Amino acid sequence: FYLTPPQVNSILKANEYSFKVPEFDGKNISSVLGFDSNQLPANAPIEDRRSAATCLQTRGMLLGVFDGHAGCACAQAVSERLFYYIAVSLLPHETLLEIENAVESGRALLPILQWHKHPNDYFSKEASKLYFNSLRTYWQELIDLNSGETTDVKEALINAFKRLDNDISLEAQVGDPNSFLNYLVLRVAFSGATACVAHVDGVDLHVANTGDSRAMLGVQEEDGSWSAVNLSYDHNAQNEHEVERVKMEHPKSEEKSLVKQDRLLGLLMPFRAFGDVKFKWSIELQKRVIESGPDQLNDNEYTKFIPPNYHTPPYLTAEPEVIHHKLRPQDKFLVLATDGLWETMHRQDVARIVGEYLTGVHHQQPIAVGGYKVTLGQMHGLLTERRARISSVFEDQNAATHLIRHAVGNNEFGTVDHERLSKMLSLPEELARMYRDDITIIVVQFNSHVIGACQNEE
């Protein structure tokens, strides 16, 4: 099934979104120039989500990618709720009081976030009241806890992640008289999602990560070349510290059953996630909720089984690992992406491809054929392709789309092969998932002049 280049482009561009930060928004000059984002589904419907918003009552911008599993319900809920929890965690006491007083007296609320959304990124209207009530309870508690100290960003991020996960769990236990909502909160809690979120405020970049999506900084070296700096660690079996952490939290007798075939209890790839109450609740609680829940829940195989060797829950946490980085003028961009990208590309290649795309400079590296026997004809083909690539390399108006094109269409020589791209994008739904995962990418571009000026002030 052959796709023409225009057909390929329309598939690749279907979910792209770009936002340029206004030069001056009346408050401060931003260290962010703008961002590009895009998604390419492999699952139907796609289980990944993305979010971006400007914090209106504090400074800073929030960006995040969310990778769902066992359905998209949890990723959807986290993508529309987490930023509110973070924003509220960062608000000063007086602002929280103003917001609470406005709700009390029925006045219009101060807007907390300005969302930057693609039309496909929807909000679940049915649950908005429930979500708002949980958020309000949270800020009321923050008001009562008022310590008078300014909130540390790292602490705010950790508190927001943990609190939202706790609310997802509570809402499912309490249920809802409205049967549609009841089923929704249960679907959210029983499915799961990883989250990788960046908060950028001036030269302060914080990345909060739960699970195996990743954040990577693109740095331009003095000679113009590009290098990658990791700003998150995967929480999975490949991370020894993470395996150790899980083992420390459970009795020695469970050591052998905790991680099997590189999965938590032999089932779950990420070792940290939102939702997934199958790995958090006691067996009694799971049974009680499922028995009193709607019938659709009983028909769902995933909710019925109890994980093997399930003795001392919780086995899973949504607590993020937070990394703080002070931006420097040579830090040009940030890539946030779900594991669908990192499974196909090395971070060094990601840094080079995005860096060259953003600067419009294509560093010609000598053609490397890595031990392949290449005939003169093939070599001529590679050179011709390279020349064509230079003329067409910037046909994408969006850095995330450009990266997806490479992730899906790269051949062994590191160049985009249209035929491969066409094959990969025309796979039927049931096959696509065998070859690749959903891919969601946000590329944030930094303003080096503003960062340099901030540095000088400090």
Side-chain angles (χ1 to χ4, degrees), residues 275-446:
D276 281 319
V277 292
K278 302 278 328 157
F279 296 85
K280 293 173 181 171
W281 289 355
S282 67
I283 293 175
E284 300 74 52
L285 179 58
Q286 292 189 37
K287 285 185 172 153
R288 198 186 79 223
V289 169
I290 288 165
E291 279 162 17
S292 61
D295 296 341
Q296 299 109 299
L297 207 61
N298 288 318
D299 305 338
N300 184 334
E301 283 307 304
Y302 181 70
T303 53
K304 272 199 297 218
F305 83 97
I306 299 290
N309 303 303
Y310 198 77
H311 309 297
T312 53
Y315 289 90
L316 189 66
T317 177
E319 180 168 336
E321 193 169 5
V322 180
I323 290 179
H324 174 234
H325 175 84
K326 278 254 188 262
L327 289 170
R328 310 157 300 172
Q330 63 266 39
D331 299 332
K332 301 297 182 187
F333 60 87
L334 171 74
V335 176
L336 297 170
T338 53
D339 61 349
L341 173 69
W342 311 111
E343 282 164 6
T344 59
M345 290 185 87
H346 189 272
R347 64 175 182 271
Q348 205 45 58
D349 295 327
V350 170
R352 181 181 54 78
I353 287 165
V354 176
E356 288 173 356
Y357 170 84
L358 290 176
T359 52
V361 180
H362 205 74
H363 277 292
Q364 285 297 18
Q365 292 172 323
I367 280 194
V369 287
Y372 293 97
K373 286 194 167 66
V374 178
T375 64
L376 264 176
Q378 286 169 315
M379 192 53 131
H380 175 73
L382 278 173
L383 288 165
T384 317
E385 189 180 332
R386 165 177 276 194
R387 200 163 56 236
R389 189 166 94 245
I390 296 164
S391 60
S392 74
V393 71
F394 303 122
E395 63 190 35
D396 290 317
Q397 302 299 302
N398 179 303
T401 308
H402 187 66
L403 204 43
I404 290 176
R405 191 182 295 276
H406 277 269
V408 180
N410 263 4
N411 58 20
E412 63 269 39
F413 303 116
T415 60
V416 175
D417 174 345
H418 178 76
E419 204 158 306
R420 180 180 161 79
L421 200 52
S422 166
K423 276 184 191 151
M424 290 294 280
L425 293 179
S426 61
L427 288 171
E429 276 167 12
E430 60 280 6
L431 275 182
R433 190 60 195 85
M434 293 163 70
Y435 287 91
R436 58 183 176 82
D437 196 354
D438 295 330
I439 300 176
T440 298
I441 301 171
I442 300 178
V443 179
V444 187
Q445 206 178 344
F446 297 121

Side-chain angles (χ1 to χ4, degrees), residues 147-401:
S147 58
E149 292 163 28
T150 50
T151 318
D152 171 61
V153 177
K154 179 177 177 175
E155 205 181 319
L157 288 163
I158 293 171
N159 291 343
F161 272 64
K162 285 163 71 175
R163 178 58 182 234
L164 173 57
D165 192 51
N166 194 42
D167 283 354
I168 285 171
S169 172
L170 272 176
E171 288 157 4
Q173 290 172 50
V174 173
D176 197 282
N178 171 331
S179 61
F180 174 81
L181 265 182
N182 195 27
Y183 184 48
L184 177 79
V185 295
L186 289 163
R187 268 183 39 223
V188 168
F190 277 93
S191 58
T194 67
C196 188
V197 170
H199 178 266
V200 194
D201 178 6
V203 292
D204 289 301
L205 167 61
H206 286 84
V207 172
N209 182 51
T210 287
D212 51 10
S213 291
R214 275 185 212 168
M216 181 214 91
L217 201 58
V219 180
Q220 190 163 32
E221 303 300 342
E222 283 180 10
D223 64 357
S225 65
W226 295 93
S227 64
V229 175
N230 271 353
L231 287 181
S232 67
Y233 299 103
D234 293 358
H235 299 133
N236 57 23
Q238 273 61 58
N239 180 339
E240 287 169 24
H241 295 293
E242 199 56 14
V243 175
E244 271 315 297
R245 177 189 67 78
V246 172
K247 285 182 178 170
M248 292 287 290
E249 290 173 4
H250 298 277
K252 197 119 181 77
S253 56
E254 291 186 57
E255 202 165 24
K256 289 194 165 53
S257 59
L258 281 171
V259 180
K260 281 192 156 168
Q261 285 143 346
D262 282 352
R263 290 167 181 258
L264 189 63
L265 297 182
L267 295 166
L268 199 63
M269 287 286 271
F271 283 19
R272 302 191 195 196
F274 282 91
D276 281 319
V277 292
K278 302 278 328 157
F279 296 85
K280 293 173 181 171
W281 289 355
S282 67
I283 293 175
E284 300 74 52
L285 179 58
Q286 292 189 37
K287 285 185 172 153
R288 198 186 79 223
V289 169
I290 288 165
E291 279 162 17
S292 61
D295 296 341
Q296 299 109 299
L297 207 61
N298 288 318
D299 305 338
N300 184 334
E301 283 307 304
Y302 181 70
T303 53
K304 272 199 297 218
F305 83 97
I306 299 290
N309 303 303
Y310 198 77
H311 309 297
T312 53
Y315 289 90
L316 189 66
T317 177
E319 180 168 336
E321 193 169 5
V322 180
I323 290 179
H324 174 234
H325 175 84
K326 278 254 188 262
L327 289 170
R328 310 157 300 172
Q330 63 266 39
D331 299 332
K332 301 297 182 187
F333 60 87
L334 171 74
V335 176
L336 297 170
T338 53
D339 61 349
L341 173 69
W342 311 111
E343 282 164 6
T344 59
M345 290 185 87
H346 189 272
R347 64 175 182 271
Q348 205 45 58
D349 295 327
V350 170
R352 181 181 54 78
I353 287 165
V354 176
E356 288 173 356
Y357 170 84
L358 290 176
T359 52
V361 180
H362 205 74
H363 277 292
Q364 285 297 18
Q365 292 172 323
I367 280 194
V369 287
Y372 293 97
K373 286 194 167 66
V374 178
T375 64
L376 264 176
Q378 286 169 315
M379 192 53 131
H380 175 73
L382 278 173
L383 288 165
T384 317
E385 189 180 332
R386 165 177 276 194
R387 200 163 56 236
R389 189 166 94 245
I390 296 164
S391 60
S392 74
V393 71
F394 303 122
E395 63 190 35
D396 290 317
Q397 302 299 302
N398 179 303
T401 308

